[in-house]
Amino acid sequence: MIDLRIERWQAWAPGLDNAAAWQAWAQAPHAVSDDGKLQPACAFLPAMQRRRLSRLARMTLEAAWPLCDDGEQLPFVFASRHGETTRTLALLGDLVDEQPLSPTQFGLSVHNAIAGQWSILREQRGESVALAGEADAFEHAMLEGTLQLAAGAPSVLVVVAEELPPPAYAEWIDDVPFSYAVALRLGKTTATGEAPTTTDWQLQPGRHDDRGTPCAWPHALDFLARSARS
């Protein structure tokens, strides 16, 4: 059993860009409208830097940026099951058309590219990890975050993000109801003997067949809905 504390959280989805909106969503979770056009503001970045980011990268930075204080150095854990589907589909289209691949676009399509962009734009020099944990990406990211805490980090940023994939992937990807990014700042729990708070949580192992009814939502959104209601 592993104890941890969620010090702060931030999330983004189309039309859900503040705590009040997410708390209202948590009372009656539903698939929000997402045509792929609405972009996170990322107002903390210059316009030229914003234009270079994919939608998935902008979602990740929009959620994570407020959780890292100025001048602070924190380990960063990025998790996504599907990653840059929009950018990857464009590259595959170039291959079909027998066009040369853009080295920049290819480099930004790899799974750890967003973690690298975070490090560069936020001037973070600490450890960063990019994970793809199938349906359990959220759980793997949380475990990685707690291991970073156990290794001595005072706090850790964990971000789970998925972009609604292009229609071409509809036959294979059915677990992204809408684009979202959920960012959690993890810290250590209260000292021994102190009463736990509503921000204190525990991780414990369990068998897959002990989970009961499957989650109706991706695990990060399900967790956010539960915690926002508490």
Side-chain angles (χ1 to χ4, degrees):
M1 187 177 298
I2 303 173
D3 297 319
L4 68 144
R5 168 169 292 180
I6 297 178
E7 298 176 336
R8 284 181 275 165
W9 66 270
Q10 191 86 8
W12 187 93
L16 303 172
D17 56 3
N18 58 66
W22 278 106
Q23 287 165 353
W25 178 86
Q27 301 307 311
H30 59 281
V32 302
S33 177
D34 182 12
D35 61 5
K37 296 179 180 179
L38 185 61
Q39 296 268 8
C42 290
F44 42 79
L45 292 174
M48 183 172 293
Q49 290 180 340
R50 289 199 301 270
R51 286 195 293 269
R52 293 174 178 171
L53 296 174
S54 68
R55 189 170 185 241
L56 185 64
R58 289 178 66 145
M59 289 161 44
T60 301
L61 267 62
E62 180 76 11
W65 201 277
L67 303 186
C68 184
D69 298 329
D70 291 342
E72 193 173 28
Q73 296 289 323
L74 295 177
F76 183 77
V77 180
F78 171 75
S80 177
R81 181 176 188 176
H82 304 293
E84 293 276 13
T85 52
T86 300
R87 196 186 295 273
T88 302
L89 183 63
L91 289 170
L92 293 173
D94 289 340
L95 286 175
V96 170
D97 295 337
E98 298 184 350
Q99 297 297 315
L101 294 182
S102 162
T104 298
Q105 294 302 316
F106 177 78
L108 292 176
S109 73
V110 300
H111 206 68
N112 63 347
I114 289 178
Q117 288 173 301
W118 164 265
S119 298
I120 294 169
L121 295 172
R122 195 70 209 230
E123 298 183 351
Q124 293 287 300
R125 299 179 297 277
E127 185 170 355
S128 65
V129 179
L131 301 173
E134 296 192 353
D136 298 325
F138 173 69
E139 287 82 355
H140 287 292
M142 293 292 282
L143 179 58
E144 176 64 29
T146 59
L147 293 175
Q148 296 281 356
L149 292 173
S155 297
V156 180
L157 286 181
V158 172
V159 186
V160 181
E162 299 287 355
E163 183 182 9
L164 189 67
Y169 289 106
E171 185 176 348
W172 299 277
I173 299 178
D174 60 0
D175 59 349
V176 185
F178 52 87
S179 302
Y180 66 88
V182 176
L184 305 173
R185 177 177 169 131
L186 308 186
K188 298 177 181 178
T189 57
T190 54
T192 303
E194 294 186 18
T197 70
T198 56
T199 60
D200 290 341
W201 295 82
Q202 291 181 330
L203 295 180
Q204 59 185 27
R207 290 173 55 86
H208 187 276
D209 53 9
D210 290 339
R211 294 180 180 179
T213 304
C215 292
W217 300 96
H219 297 177
L221 288 178
D222 183 73
F223 177 82
L224 186 60
R226 294 170 185 268
S227 58
R229 289 195 298 265
S230 63

